[in-house]
Amino acid sequence: MSQKVAVVTGGTGGIGTAICKKLAAAGHKVWAADIADDAKGAEWVAARKAEGFDFGYVRADVTDTEGCAAAIAKVGPVDILVNNAGITRDAVFKKLSKVDWDAVMGTNLDSVFNMTKPVIDGMLERGWGRIINISSINGQKGQFGQTNYSAAKAGMHGFTKALAQETAKKGITVNTISPGYIGTDMVMAIKEEIREQIIAGIPVGRLGKPDEIAALVTYLASDDAGFITGSNVAINGGQHMF
Ligand code: CAA
């Protein structure tokens, strides 16, 4: 496959870094977009360079519409966009604040608008594009303590289905991946007792690995996956089947 330019939001995090590495291994030029400043981004780039990867880094606060447009302008034409940035602010709904609702909507859902908007025209003009939205099992099944997160993650897939229809004839695919519980800092931050209960409910009997998500992203980004669009691919160890 010819080399494509990929941008991965939340690209320096647990799943994000794994996605960057697998896309690079598939031959793409990869930019991590993240909220850390340029100095921190440069540290991340240098650490990955020591591992043999040549990544770009661009600062992007995915809640900031103009900031995302400016970040994409720095990168140039983008062929593959992975909307991976996400946060949790877990609380039962009766205790959930508007601040924590807005934070999760901004980072997990507004981000998809903010990052897709500046790349879509170029993809349409060039007749090729891949947009991959990293949602969650909890957008599919809901989760106790996550009305905000479940709503935002379900919203991502609504966006996927609508945009997939609008762009299918132009060589662009738009898909959602819904990971279950993956062994990252986000999941390790859940109280141990609750986390153990969750793992006990995963038929495969373990947390998922960032590399397992990254491999699926890389496949959906390939030419071979050109007939897959508007899909929501579950990758959750059997925890939720539908
Ligand atoms: N179902 C039903 N009841 C539950 C429950 C559940 N899953 N979890 C807790 N409860 C009950 C408790 O037993 C408790 O009952 P009592 O009041 O009768 O004692 C009541 O609900 C309150 O629960 P907590 O004491 O746990 O409330 P809290 O305010 O201390 O904690 C919480 C709330 C922070 C949301 C906590 O329940 C929690 O961390 N839940 C897990 C949330 C979760 O899975 N987050 C995923 C993060 S990772 C991620 O999001 C990545 C991804 O995409 C998968």
Side-chain angles (χ1 to χ4, degrees):
M1 195 210 307
S2 59
Q3 191 188 51
K4 306 287 188 195
V5 175
V7 170
V8 181
T9 68
T12 69
I15 294 178
T17 299
I19 293 172
C20 288
K21 289 181 177 178
K22 282 245 194 281
L23 286 173
H28 304 301
K29 171 66 196 165
V30 181
W31 291 74
D34 220 318
I35 190 134
D37 62 24
D38 288 342
K40 279 259 181 305
E43 276 173 31
W44 179 86
V45 168
R48 302 292 80 76
K49 185 122 196 153
E51 297 169 352
F53 295 94
D54 186 17
F55 293 131
Y57 178 80
V58 65
R59 184 181 183 277
D61 173 350
V62 292
T63 67
D64 171 4
T65 309
E66 280 94 50
C68 288
I72 294 298
K74 272 191 202 156
V75 171
V78 174
D79 306 299
I80 299 165
L81 172 65
V82 185
N83 285 310
N84 167 67
I87 58 168
T88 52
R89 293 286 183 274
D90 294 354
V92 292
F93 183 67
K94 66 178 181 183
K95 293 190 204 160
L96 181 68
S97 68
K98 183 68 164 53
V99 169
D100 284 347
W101 173 267
D102 289 342
V104 166
M105 286 296 156
T107 301
N108 298 14
L109 187 57
D110 292 351
S111 56
V112 175
F113 175 90
N114 291 337
M115 289 299 292
T116 307
K117 196 77 180 165
V119 303
I120 197 73
D121 287 348
M123 289 180 180
L124 290 166
E125 278 158 26
R126 293 188 301 280
W128 199 93
R130 296 284 184 266
I131 296 169
I132 299 162
N133 295 321
I134 308 299
S135 177
S136 166
I137 183 175
N138 294 339
Q140 299 181 293
K141 70 170 188 57
Q143 170 63 7
F144 187 101
Q146 286 198 311
T147 48
N148 50 359
Y149 187 88
S150 301
K153 291 295 191 179
M156 289 177 93
H157 188 53
F159 175 95
T160 289
K161 291 187 285 186
L163 188 63
Q165 293 179 37
E166 294 180 19
T167 58
K169 283 208 171 74
K170 303 283 183 180
I172 300 170
T173 67
V174 189
N175 289 292
T176 301
I177 293 176
S178 289
Y181 286 75
I182 310 299
T184 60
D185 291 347
M186 185 186 273
V187 168
M188 297 323 276
I190 303 171
K191 264 195 264 168
E192 191 179 352
E193 188 191 315
I194 295 177
R195 194 173 63 243
E196 289 309 321
Q197 268 173 30
I198 290 169
I199 295 172
I202 303 174
V204 168
R206 63 168 173 87
L207 294 174
K209 299 175 190 158
D211 272 355
E212 292 170 325
I213 307 303
L216 180 56
V217 170
T218 304
Y219 172 65
L220 289 176
S222 72
D223 281 326
D224 283 345
F227 202 54
I228 304 177
T229 197
S231 289
N232 188 357
V233 185
I235 175 162
N236 63 33
Q239 190 185 349
H240 179 62
M241 303 178 186
F242 58 96

